[in-house]
């Protein structure tokens, strides 16, 4: 079974259509403890959720032939053991791509009256364990990226980390779990942070923006909704902090927004025509550059809330949170690349679909 990680390949829809036999006969392949489960196990449905937000990637599997009524005996309990590693691949016929790698964290025996009994197996990825427990730890004269590297090593995750520039006098993890502490550091920098299988990503924003695939409205896309909304936008961000060298309060201001796609206007541009809507924040910065970096990070993070969208297409295993997706056939303003902030793969009696959540910062 192929190891799950964030791929950087780009495909045409025709390539994927050819690979997956015109998307006929959806199929799933599941391995527990490295062993492919028996074809005798009746998998009625599979759902895999991927996200870049503050929750773990997760899965749910429903097994329908898990109970023998005559003997009142549950089957497959020796296969689906709580705490066991599990890998899930989705695809068509015999062509698969990995979509989940993690652990079984819950098993539910469900009786449904005349509908019989089902075994519901669910679980989460490595993020689940990174969210366990809280720590108090201090690092001196370290970069943020070096701290993230150390935490990744603690969880035996393969790191994919873009180096940060400044060494800080003190970095403190104060009663936070490892996952949300790294997320806190990422927001200070406007970095992307997420986990894919056993791989931890801490990277500069709007990098590796090549779309995984371009899908068209009226063809591959089954449904699509895209919203442009000013509610979270600002014209600027100012950071006020105490400068130990100057012995006074200093203010630093955010610069430009890095745009995604070919549209010309950010939320900052639109609001600036109406007035000045600058947000002033206070922080304990060790230097003017740290304050400036945070101002830039805060403004750019907010800018990505200008554009949001949801959609559904044929099941494409390659689409996942952390990649970019290009839309076509929706009109010039909407035919853009978007950041995939969440993606769900759903296989059941109705077939296999991929649902996605999008973000962007230019209109």
């Amino acid at each position: 079974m192929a190891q799950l990680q964030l791929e950087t390949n780009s495909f045409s829809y025709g390539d994927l259509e050819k690979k997956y036999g015109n998307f006929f006969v959806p199929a799933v392949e599941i391995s527990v403890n490295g062993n492919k489960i028996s074809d005798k196990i009746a998998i009625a449905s599979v759902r895999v959720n991927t996200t870049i937000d503050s929750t773990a990637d997760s899965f749910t599997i429903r097994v329908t032939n898990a109970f023998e009524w005559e003997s009142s005996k549950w089957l497959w309990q020796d296969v689906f053991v709580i705490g066991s590693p599990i890998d899930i691949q989705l695809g068509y016929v015999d062509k698969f791509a990995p979509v989940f790698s993690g652990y079984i964290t819950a098993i539910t025996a469900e009786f449904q009256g005349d509908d019989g009994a089902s075994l519901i197996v669910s679980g989460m990825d490595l993020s689940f364990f990174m969210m366990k427990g809280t720590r108090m730890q201090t690092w001196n004269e370290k970069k943020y990226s070096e701290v993230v590297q150390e935490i990744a090593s603690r969880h035996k995750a393969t790191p994919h980390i873009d180096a940060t520039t400044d060494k800080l006098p003190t970095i403190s993890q104060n009663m936070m779990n490892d996952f949300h502490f790294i997320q806190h550091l990422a927001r200070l920098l406007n970095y992307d942070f997420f986990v894919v299988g056993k791989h931890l990503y801490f990277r500069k924003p709007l990098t590796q923006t090549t779309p995984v695939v371009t899908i068209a409205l009226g063809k591959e896309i089954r449904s699509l909704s895209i919203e442009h909304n000013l509610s979270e936008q600002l014209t600027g961000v100012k950071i006020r902090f105490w400068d130990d060298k100057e012995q006074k309060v200093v203010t630093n201001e955010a610069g430009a927004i890095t745009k995604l796609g070919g549209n010309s206007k950010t939320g900052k541009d639109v609001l600036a025509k109406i007035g000045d809507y600058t947000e002033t924040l206070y922080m304990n910065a060790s230097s003017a550059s740290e304050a400036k970096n945070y101002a830039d990070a805060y403004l750019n993070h907010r800018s990505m809330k200008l554009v949001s969208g949801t959609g559904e297409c044929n099941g494409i295993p390659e689409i996942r949170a952390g990649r970019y997706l290009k839309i076509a056939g929706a009109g010039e303003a909407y035919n853009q690349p978007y950041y995939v902030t969440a993606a769900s793969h759903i296989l059941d009696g109705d077939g296999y679909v991929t649902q996605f959540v999008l973000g962007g910062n230019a209109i």
Side-chain angles (χ1 to χ4, degrees):
M1 179 174 283
Q3 187 185 68
L4 176 64
Q5 60 180 329
L6 192 72
E7 298 289 347
T8 58
N9 295 334
S10 182
F11 306 91
S12 71
Y13 188 80
D15 290 338
L16 295 174
E17 197 171 38
K18 183 177 180 181
K19 174 183 177 180
Y20 293 123
N22 295 314
F23 300 104
F24 292 146
V25 193
V28 60
E29 185 173 284
I30 299 169
S31 295
V32 179
N33 281 315
N35 300 312
K36 182 178 176 295
I37 67 170
S38 169
D39 292 336
K40 295 179 181 179
I41 300 175
I43 306 296
S45 64
V46 177
R47 183 184 182 105
V48 172
N49 301 314
T50 71
T51 180
I52 62 162
D53 292 329
S54 55
T55 57
D57 287 2
S58 62
F59 78 90
T60 302
I61 298 167
R62 181 180 289 272
V63 182
T64 51
N65 66 340
F67 189 71
E68 287 185 344
W69 287 94
E70 290 184 4
S71 61
S72 296
K73 179 184 177 182
W74 284 96
L75 306 175
W76 321 127
Q77 288 182 316
D78 59 335
V79 175
F80 299 108
V81 178
I82 198 165
S84 297
I86 184 169
D87 296 280
I88 301 173
Q89 295 195 116
L90 288 170
Y92 298 83
V93 189
D94 59 353
K95 300 296 183 184
F96 299 97
V99 294
F100 182 86
S101 181
Y103 299 86
I104 298 171
T105 59
I107 299 174
T108 304
E110 182 178 272
F111 293 92
Q112 300 171 318
D114 294 337
D115 293 332
S118 297
L119 197 66
I120 301 171
V121 183
S122 56
M124 292 181 250
D125 69 356
L126 178 64
S127 307
F128 171 76
F129 296 100
M130 293 182 68
M131 295 178 193
K132 291 292 183 185
T134 56
R135 288 177 177 270
M136 290 194 68
Q137 186 171 353
T138 300
W139 294 265
N140 297 317
E141 296 300 325
K142 291 283 189 179
K143 300 176 182 179
Y144 285 141
S145 55
E146 292 172 337
V147 170
V148 174
Q149 176 88 33
E150 182 178 320
I151 295 173
S153 195
R154 181 186 300 158
H155 292 277
K156 297 180 175 61
T158 301
H160 303 264
I161 296 172
D162 287 346
T164 54
T165 54
D166 296 334
K167 284 191 175 183
L168 302 176
T170 302
I171 301 173
S172 295
Q173 181 177 358
N174 187 13
M175 296 303 292
M176 296 178 73
N177 63 57
D178 286 343
F179 184 92
H180 290 109
F181 178 61
I182 296 178
Q183 188 175 67
H184 165 69
L185 299 183
R187 285 176 178 168
L188 290 175
L189 299 162
N190 191 36
Y191 264 42
D192 294 334
F193 162 59
F194 50 87
V195 172
V196 178
K198 296 178 177 64
H199 297 257
L200 185 151
Y201 296 83
F202 188 76
R203 69 184 188 188
K204 295 176 182 177
L206 302 181
T207 56
Q208 300 177 12
T209 56
T210 302
V212 59
V213 66
T214 298
I215 52 177
L217 191 65
K219 296 181 180 179
E220 300 84 31
I221 298 175
R222 300 185 178 193
S223 65
L224 180 68
S225 172
I226 299 176
E227 179 182 63
H228 298 166
N229 193 321
L230 285 175
S231 61
E232 294 288 332
Q233 299 307 295
L234 301 167
T235 55
V237 175
K238 292 181 179 179
I239 301 294
R240 289 173 62 84
F241 70 101
W242 178 258
D243 190 316
D244 284 335
K245 291 182 180 178
E246 299 291 334
Q247 287 294 295
K248 65 179 182 179
V249 174
V250 176
T251 300
N252 248 319
E253 194 165 355
I257 291 171
T258 303
K259 288 184 294 186
L260 171 62
N263 285 336
S264 61
K265 292 182 292 187
T266 66
K268 175 183 176 180
D269 298 328
V270 176
L271 278 184
K273 294 181 179 180
I274 303 171
D276 181 10
Y277 303 97
T278 298
E279 191 163 313
T280 301
L281 305 172
Y282 296 83
M283 72 176 294
N284 293 322
S286 60
S287 65
S289 64
E290 184 186 0
K292 175 68 165 58
N293 288 340
Y294 182 60
D296 288 340
Y298 190 85
L299 181 62
N300 277 272
H301 177 73
R302 290 283 287 268
S303 77
M304 284 296 291
K305 298 182 180 182
L306 175 65
V307 181
S308 62
T310 59
E312 181 178 290
C313 64
N314 293 336
I316 300 177
E318 286 78 6
I319 296 175
R320 67 175 301 113
R323 289 298 312 263
Y324 291 80
L325 183 66
K326 189 169 184 181
I327 302 298
E332 185 178 356
Y334 302 104
N335 291 344
Q336 298 291 325
Y338 297 88
Y339 190 33
V340 181
T341 60
S344 296
H345 298 276
I346 304 159
L347 187 152
D348 55 24
D350 295 326
Y352 172 25
V353 298
T354 298
Q355 297 173 345
F356 47 82
V357 180
L358 306 173
N361 65 5
I363 59 177

